[in-house]
């Protein structure tokens, strides 16, 4: 009869259970990796500048590029106050031996409103040389001064002068129109008398200066010279009058005087002088109002 076995109890004669398979042992991870910097002295090995290069080849390429960038002559940036050091630095950067070496000359196209000034160009070259500029820097600054600063200033100046001239010409036209109205038919003849007074009483140098300044024909000058000439020499003493010399105000006064003096003959048809005085009054009236006499 077979003996019963309690659950979980193995009989003495039972075979042992097979062992479960075990994972192979993992070797310990090395504490550090080998690097090309390991052979360097401690102060270089720990340098942050070298830590960015993973290989010796990377360091070598970086050095070659640096050599190519710096060129054959290597000059460090000097400190403030090191005048000799700065001169070496400027020289390495292309600073010429003299201001003439910049080669400044008259530009092919001088901006409108500007005139080339060789002395100013020479002075500018001296300033740039004093402060260590190389040829490219000097040329760039000079072009900027000429084309951006001076040219703009000249253009603004030309526009301002044109505006002033236009305003002055408008004032002259207004003054001339006022003088024409004041002198009426005597305008042309009195203008000739004023010109004769200018030539008689002013020196050639003064006349030339007036012409250069554009004031010889200024209506205010013309009127003043006419009045001065008449006071000093009289109208006929300056010029042989061959036209009207009376202004509208003068003619108005003459008409009023004539009407008062010859009123009887003018308004009485039976008066013996009526015809003669009427003709004289008519001529006087036509001189005062030329358009009405046509």
């Amino acid at each position: 009869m077979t003996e019963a076995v309690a659950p979980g109890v193995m009989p003495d004669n039972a075979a042992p259970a097979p062992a479960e398979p075990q994972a192979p042992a993992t070797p310990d991870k090395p504490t550090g990796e080998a690097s090309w910097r390991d052979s360097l002295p401690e102060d270089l090995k720990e340098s942050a500048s070298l830590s960015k290069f993973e290989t010796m080849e990377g360091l070598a390429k970086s050095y070659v590029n640096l050599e190519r960038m710096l060129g054959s002559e290597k000059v460090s940036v000097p400190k403030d106050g090191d005048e000799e050091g700065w001169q070496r630095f400027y020289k390495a950067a292309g600073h010429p031996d003299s201001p003439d070496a910049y080669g400044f000359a008259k530009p092919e196209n001088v901006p409108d409103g500007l005139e080339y000034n060789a002395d100013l160009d020479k002075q500018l070259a001296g300033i740039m040389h004093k402060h260590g500029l190389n040829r490219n820097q000097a040329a760039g600054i000079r072009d900027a001064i000429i084309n951006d600063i001076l040219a703009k200033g000249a253009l603004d100046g030309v526009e301002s002068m044109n505006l002033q001239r236009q305003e002055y010409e408008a004032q002259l036209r207004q003054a001339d129109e006022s003088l024409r109205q004041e002198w009426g038919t005597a305008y042309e003849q009195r203008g000739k008398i004023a010109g004769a007074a200018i030539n008689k009483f002013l020196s050639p140098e003064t006349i030339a200066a007036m012409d250069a300044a554009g004031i010889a024909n200024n209506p205010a000058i013309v009127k003043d010279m006419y009045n001065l000439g008449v006071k000093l020499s009289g109208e006929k003493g300056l010029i042989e009058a061959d036209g009207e010399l009376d202004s509208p105000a003068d003619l108005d006064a003459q008409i009023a005087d004539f009407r008062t003096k010859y009123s009887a003959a003018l308004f009485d048809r039976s008066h013996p002088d009526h015809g003669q005085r009427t003709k004289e009054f008519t001529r006087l009236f036509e001189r005062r109002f030329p358009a009405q006499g046509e």
Side-chain angles (χ1 to χ4, degrees):
M1 181 176 178
T2 306
E3 296 181 356
V5 178
V9 179
M10 184 176 293
D12 294 338
N13 60 353
E20 295 181 1
Q22 300 292 326
T26 302
D28 293 336
K29 187 176 181 180
T31 57
E33 295 181 355
S35 170
W36 65 271
R37 297 189 302 275
D38 292 343
S39 61
L40 297 176
E42 289 298 329
D43 57 336
L44 294 178
K45 183 188 303 184
E46 302 300 329
S47 172
S49 298
L50 298 179
S51 63
K52 61 185 178 183
F53 298 106
E54 297 294 337
T55 64
M56 179 68 75
E57 180 183 0
L59 174 63
K61 289 182 178 179
S62 177
Y63 180 78
V64 170
N65 290 335
L66 181 62
E67 284 273 313
R68 186 180 297 113
M69 181 181 65
L70 292 177
S72 59
E73 184 176 359
K74 305 170 186 60
V75 180
S76 60
V77 178
K79 296 181 180 180
D80 292 342
D82 183 4
E83 185 62 28
E84 184 177 350
W86 279 111
Q87 292 303 321
R88 289 197 303 270
F89 183 84
Y90 293 150
K91 183 71 174 179
H95 184 229
D97 294 332
S98 68
D100 294 339
Y102 287 129
F104 290 170
K106 181 179 180 179
E108 294 183 2
N109 298 315
V110 178
D112 293 338
L114 286 182
E115 292 185 4
Y116 177 69
N117 188 324
D119 292 335
L120 181 60
D121 222 1
K122 185 176 181 180
Q123 183 180 2
L124 186 61
I127 294 173
M128 292 181 175
H129 186 268
K130 177 181 178 181
H131 292 281
L133 274 65
N134 61 34
R135 290 181 178 85
N136 290 336
Q137 292 170 326
I141 292 177
R142 175 178 181 259
D143 290 345
I145 291 175
I146 292 176
N147 297 316
D148 298 339
I149 299 177
L150 296 182
K152 184 180 184 304
L155 181 60
D156 292 343
V158 170
E159 293 177 352
S160 177
M161 290 177 60
N162 289 338
L163 181 60
Q164 292 177 5
R165 186 182 69 251
Q166 293 172 5
E167 293 176 349
Y168 178 70
E169 291 174 351
Q171 292 173 357
L172 286 183
R173 288 193 297 270
Q174 184 178 0
D176 183 70
E177 182 61 28
S178 176
L179 188 60
R180 284 179 180 272
Q181 292 179 4
E182 180 181 347
W183 281 356
T185 56
Y187 176 84
E188 298 295 338
Q189 188 65 19
R190 288 190 175 187
K192 294 178 181 179
I193 294 173
I198 289 176
N199 292 328
K200 181 174 183 179
F201 298 116
L202 300 183
S203 66
E205 293 78 12
T206 300
I207 296 174
M210 292 173 63
D211 289 336
I215 62 174
N217 294 323
N218 187 302
I221 300 293
V222 172
K223 184 177 181 179
D224 286 346
M225 292 307 302
Y226 168 77
N227 292 332
L228 178 64
V230 170
K231 289 180 179 179
L232 295 178
S233 299
E235 291 175 340
K236 293 186 177 181
L238 290 171
I239 187 172
E240 190 65 30
D242 58 359
E244 293 292 345
L245 297 175
D246 296 320
S247 68
D250 295 334
L251 292 173
D252 287 338
Q254 292 177 33
I255 290 173
D257 291 342
F258 192 92
R259 183 183 287 128
T260 300
K261 185 176 183 179
Y262 301 109
S263 60
L266 287 173
F267 299 107
D268 185 357
R269 291 179 178 271
S270 62
H271 194 285
D273 295 333
H274 175 75
Q276 179 65 28
R277 299 306 179 190
T278 299
K279 291 180 181 179
E280 293 175 352
F281 183 79
T282 300
R283 286 197 298 270
L284 189 62
F285 193 86
E286 289 175 349
R287 289 171 55 195
R288 173 62 180 87
F289 302 102
Q292 298 183 24
E294 294 178 357

PDB file of all heavy atoms in Angstrom, residues 109-120:
ATOM      1  N   ASN A 109      34.186 111.896 -57.758  1.00  0.00           N
ATOM      2  CA  ASN A 109      32.872 112.546 -57.729  1.00  0.00           C
ATOM      3  C   ASN A 109      32.727 113.324 -56.423  1.00  0.00           C
ATOM      4  O   ASN A 109      32.511 112.728 -55.365  1.00  0.00           O
ATOM      5  CB  ASN A 109      31.752 111.505 -57.851  1.00  0.00           C
ATOM      6  CG  ASN A 109      31.816 110.748 -59.169  1.00  0.00           C
ATOM      7  OD1 ASN A 109      31.999 111.344 -60.218  1.00  0.00           O
ATOM      8  ND2 ASN A 109      31.653 109.443 -59.112  1.00  0.00           N
ATOM      9  N   VAL A 110      32.879 114.625 -56.513  1.00  0.00           N
ATOM     10  CA  VAL A 110      32.716 115.476 -55.337  1.00  0.00           C
ATOM     11  C   VAL A 110      31.220 115.760 -55.169  1.00  0.00           C
ATOM     12  O   VAL A 110      30.559 116.185 -56.119  1.00  0.00           O
ATOM     13  CB  VAL A 110      33.484 116.798 -55.489  1.00  0.00           C
ATOM     14  CG1 VAL A 110      33.270 117.691 -54.278  1.00  0.00           C
ATOM     15  CG2 VAL A 110      34.969 116.515 -55.684  1.00  0.00           C
ATOM     16  N   PRO A 111      30.655 115.508 -53.987  1.00  0.00           N
ATOM     17  CA  PRO A 111      29.216 115.735 -53.780  1.00  0.00           C
ATOM     18  C   PRO A 111      28.815 117.170 -54.101  1.00  0.00           C
ATOM     19  O   PRO A 111      29.601 118.100 -53.942  1.00  0.00           O
ATOM     20  CB  PRO A 111      29.018 115.415 -52.292  1.00  0.00           C
ATOM     21  CG  PRO A 111      30.140 114.494 -51.950  1.00  0.00           C
ATOM     22  CD  PRO A 111      31.298 114.941 -52.782  1.00  0.00           C
ATOM     23  N   ASP A 112      27.591 117.332 -54.568  1.00  0.00           N
ATOM     24  CA  ASP A 112      27.071 118.666 -54.888  1.00  0.00           C
ATOM     25  C   ASP A 112      27.131 119.565 -53.656  1.00  0.00           C
ATOM     26  O   ASP A 112      26.791 119.149 -52.547  1.00  0.00           O
ATOM     27  CB  ASP A 112      25.621 118.562 -55.382  1.00  0.00           C
ATOM     28  CG  ASP A 112      25.533 117.837 -56.720  1.00  0.00           C
ATOM     29  OD1 ASP A 112      26.548 117.798 -57.431  1.00  0.00           O
ATOM     30  OD2 ASP A 112      24.444 117.308 -57.037  1.00  0.00           O
ATOM     31  N   GLY A 113      27.531 120.783 -53.875  1.00  0.00           N
ATOM     32  CA  GLY A 113      27.604 121.743 -52.783  1.00  0.00           C
ATOM     33  C   GLY A 113      28.938 121.759 -52.069  1.00  0.00           C
ATOM     34  O   GLY A 113      29.151 122.588 -51.184  1.00  0.00           O
ATOM     35  N   LEU A 114      29.859 120.845 -52.443  1.00  0.00           N
ATOM     36  CA  LEU A 114      31.168 120.784 -51.804  1.00  0.00           C
ATOM     37  C   LEU A 114      32.257 121.148 -52.799  1.00  0.00           C
ATOM     38  O   LEU A 114      32.132 120.886 -54.004  1.00  0.00           O
ATOM     39  CB  LEU A 114      31.440 119.377 -51.258  1.00  0.00           C
ATOM     40  CG  LEU A 114      30.709 118.937 -49.991  1.00  0.00           C
ATOM     41  CD1 LEU A 114      31.162 117.533 -49.600  1.00  0.00           C
ATOM     42  CD2 LEU A 114      30.971 119.894 -48.846  1.00  0.00           C
ATOM     43  N   GLU A 115      33.330 121.707 -52.294  1.00  0.00           N
ATOM     44  CA  GLU A 115      34.537 121.934 -53.079  1.00  0.00           C
ATOM     45  C   GLU A 115      35.684 121.209 -52.393  1.00  0.00           C
ATOM     46  O   GLU A 115      35.825 121.275 -51.167  1.00  0.00           O
ATOM     47  CB  GLU A 115      34.853 123.429 -53.191  1.00  0.00           C
ATOM     48  CG  GLU A 115      33.847 124.210 -54.021  1.00  0.00           C
ATOM     49  CD  GLU A 115      34.260 125.659 -54.200  1.00  0.00           C
ATOM     50  OE1 GLU A 115      35.368 126.007 -53.733  1.00  0.00           O
ATOM     51  OE2 GLU A 115      33.483 126.420 -54.788  1.00  0.00           O
ATOM     52  N   TYR A 116      36.489 120.494 -53.177  1.00  0.00           N
ATOM     53  CA  TYR A 116      37.594 119.723 -52.590  1.00  0.00           C
ATOM     54  C   TYR A 116      38.624 120.664 -51.992  1.00  0.00           C
ATOM     55  O   TYR A 116      39.032 121.648 -52.611  1.00  0.00           O
ATOM     56  CB  TYR A 116      38.240 118.838 -53.647  1.00  0.00           C
ATOM     57  CG  TYR A 116      39.437 118.078 -53.115  1.00  0.00           C
ATOM     58  CD1 TYR A 116      39.269 117.058 -52.190  1.00  0.00           C
ATOM     59  CD2 TYR A 116      40.731 118.410 -53.520  1.00  0.00           C
ATOM     60  CE1 TYR A 116      40.352 116.370 -51.682  1.00  0.00           C
ATOM     61  CE2 TYR A 116      41.821 117.720 -53.020  1.00  0.00           C
ATOM     62  CZ  TYR A 116      41.633 116.702 -52.104  1.00  0.00           C
ATOM     63  OH  TYR A 116      42.711 116.018 -51.593  1.00  0.00           O
ATOM     64  N   ASN A 117      39.036 120.360 -50.745  1.00  0.00           N
ATOM     65  CA  ASN A 117      40.014 121.168 -50.023  1.00  0.00           C
ATOM     66  C   ASN A 117      41.199 120.275 -49.675  1.00  0.00           C
ATOM     67  O   ASN A 117      41.118 119.447 -48.774  1.00  0.00           O
ATOM     68  CB  ASN A 117      39.377 121.754 -48.753  1.00  0.00           C
ATOM     69  CG  ASN A 117      40.285 122.753 -48.060  1.00  0.00           C
ATOM     70  OD1 ASN A 117      41.497 122.596 -48.025  1.00  0.00           O
ATOM     71  ND2 ASN A 117      39.688 123.790 -47.501  1.00  0.00           N
ATOM     72  N   ALA A 118      42.303 120.431 -50.412  1.00  0.00           N
ATOM     73  CA  ALA A 118      43.474 119.577 -50.204  1.00  0.00           C
ATOM     74  C   ALA A 118      44.078 119.781 -48.812  1.00  0.00           C
ATOM     75  O   ALA A 118      44.558 118.834 -48.185  1.00  0.00           O
ATOM     76  CB  ALA A 118      44.519 119.854 -51.288  1.00  0.00           C
ATOM     77  N   ASP A 119      44.070 121.009 -48.323  1.00  0.00           N
ATOM     78  CA  ASP A 119      44.631 121.275 -46.989  1.00  0.00           C
ATOM     79  C   ASP A 119      43.825 120.571 -45.903  1.00  0.00           C
ATOM     80  O   ASP A 119      44.388 120.024 -44.947  1.00  0.00           O
ATOM     81  CB  ASP A 119      44.668 122.784 -46.726  1.00  0.00           C
ATOM     82  CG  ASP A 119      45.670 123.499 -47.621  1.00  0.00           C
ATOM     83  OD1 ASP A 119      46.630 122.840 -48.061  1.00  0.00           O
ATOM     84  OD2 ASP A 119      45.495 124.699 -47.877  1.00  0.00           O
ATOM     85  N   LEU A 120      42.513 120.587 -46.039  1.00  0.00           N
ATOM     86  CA  LEU A 120      41.661 119.901 -45.067  1.00  0.00           C
ATOM     87  C   LEU A 120      41.887 118.397 -45.129  1.00  0.00           C
ATOM     88  O   LEU A 120      41.916 117.712 -44.099  1.00  0.00           O
ATOM     89  CB  LEU A 120      40.196 120.234 -45.331  1.00  0.00           C
ATOM     90  CG  LEU A 120      39.177 119.600 -44.377  1.00  0.00           C
ATOM     91  CD1 LEU A 120      39.435 120.049 -42.946  1.00  0.00           C
ATOM     92  CD2 LEU A 120      37.758 119.970 -44.797  1.00  0.00           C
TER      93      LEU A 120
END
